[in-house]
Amino acid sequence: MSDSLRVNKVDHIGIAVRSIQEALAFWDRGLGLAPGHMEEVPAQKVRVAFLQVGESHLELLEPTSQDSPVGKFLANHGEGMHHICLEVPDVQAALRHLGSLGLQLIDPMPRPGSGGSLVAFVHPKSAHGVLLELMQKPKT
Ligand code: ZN
């Protein structure tokens, strides 16, 4: 297998919540997972908080508008698991490979993610019901 198709690790698991503050009553007060990095992503109309768990993170996603991907997810499914993010060395190469297999991509091209990363989503129809995010770390 070529290096570009390697999957390094589970980077994070995305969880849709109505309120990050309310969710932290469980994750932080209950389990001691304090929020580290927090940011608002206007393009996705979402506020995110990352909770470190060993080498991976939980990403709490709170919509800033009903009319957003996460807002619609909450309306349809309620709170809960939203996506899994795998870290890959080269997200563009991974997309090319998945596209060549005829799989359905939400993002045919990588787009900027949080903290300078590059991300792209694969449609759950092609990933057996999982909304899959592929993430490439910023070059350091
Ligand atoms: Zn994510």
Side-chain angles (χ1 to χ4, degrees):
M1 191 160 44
S2 82
D3 183 60
S4 59
L5 301 179
R6 202 178 67 227
V7 173
N8 292 338
K9 66 171 192 176
V10 175
D11 184 76
H12 64 266
I13 295 171
I15 299 172
V17 299
R18 293 186 207 290
S19 157
I20 286 174
Q21 280 317 316
E22 285 174 26
L24 286 176
F26 174 72
W27 295 107
D28 188 2
R29 230 180 310 142
L31 291 172
L33 300 174
H37 180 69
M38 290 178 89
E39 78 177 74
E40 192 165 329
V41 186
Q44 294 293 308
K45 298 180 190 164
V46 76
R47 200 171 288 128
V48 300
F50 284 92
L51 318 180
Q52 188 162 4
V53 186
E55 286 208 334
S56 301
H57 292 81
L58 301 180
E59 177 186 36
L60 301 181
L61 302 145
E62 173 192 317
T64 56
S65 156
Q66 303 293 320
D67 171 34
S68 63
V70 176
K72 288 176 192 158
F73 177 91
L74 284 172
N76 291 331
H77 306 279
E79 292 187 310
M81 287 257 313
H82 182 261
H83 66 271
I84 291 179
C85 178
L86 299 178
E87 186 201 317
V88 296
D90 182 341
V91 72
Q92 189 138 25
L95 288 176
R96 254 198 315 272
H97 175 68
L98 294 170
S100 76
L101 297 176
L103 300 177
Q104 199 175 333
L105 308 174
I106 293 175
D107 301 300
M109 295 294 290
R111 57 184 172 78
S114 71
S117 63
L118 281 176
V119 302
F121 282 87
V122 178
H123 200 285
K125 279 182 185 155
S126 285
H128 296 263
V130 175
L131 176 57
L132 179 64
E133 180 180 13
L134 300 172
M135 191 273 290
Q136 176 184 340
K137 274 192 180 157
K139 303 245 187 294
T140 47

